[in-house]
Amino acid sequence: MANALVSIQIIPKTKNGEDVIPYVDAAIAVIEDSGVKYQVNPLETTMEGELSELFQIIEKMNQEMVARGCPSVISQVKVYYKPGGASMDVLTEKYV
C-alpha cells in the first residue's frame, strides 16, 4: 500500500519564453512512464506511491526539463505522508 501522496506543480523556465504547456506535458509523461497512480488537476498533478519513489520521479521530471533546454525549473511540492497508508480515493471519497 502507498504511504504518500505528493502533489507537484512544475514551472519550467524556457529559453525564449516559449509556451510551457508542452514542457508540462513532458513532465506528466515522466509520471505516466513511472507507473504510479496519478491524477492531473488544473494547477498540479498528484501522485500516489512510496515517498522515496515519488521523490525520484520529481527528480526525473526536473532532469527532463533540463534535457529539453530549460535553464531552470521551479517545482512546488506538497507531501502527505502516512506510513499506515495514503490514498487519494480515501481522502476524496466524500466528494465523489
Side-chain angles (χ1 to χ4, degrees):
M1 175 179 267
N3 68 12
L5 302 177
V6 173
S7 293
I8 180 164
Q9 178 186 34
I10 196 157
I11 307 166
K13 179 178 172 85
T14 57
K15 286 192 278 187
N16 299 308
E18 301 96 334
D19 182 13
V20 299
I21 296 302
Y23 293 86
V24 172
D25 289 342
I28 293 170
V30 171
I31 298 171
E32 173 79 29
D33 292 345
S34 76
V36 300
K37 181 177 179 178
Y38 71 98
Q39 179 177 319
V40 177
N41 298 297
L43 298 176
E44 64 188 13
T45 298
T46 302
M47 301 180 284
E48 180 178 304
E50 296 301 310
L51 186 60
S52 60
E53 178 183 17
L54 300 178
F55 281 139
Q56 289 173 5
I57 294 166
I58 291 169
E59 182 177 16
K60 289 178 185 174
M61 293 168 73
N62 280 271
Q63 291 169 343
E64 179 65 23
M65 296 301 96
V66 172
R68 289 177 175 266
C70 296
S72 64
V73 184
I74 296 172
S75 295
Q76 296 185 353
V77 178
K78 292 185 248 180
V79 177
Y80 172 67
Y81 178 68
K82 186 177 179 189
S87 167
M88 284 188 272
D89 296 334
V90 170
L91 288 179
T92 60
E93 66 188 356
K94 70 180 181 182
Y95 301 107
V96 179

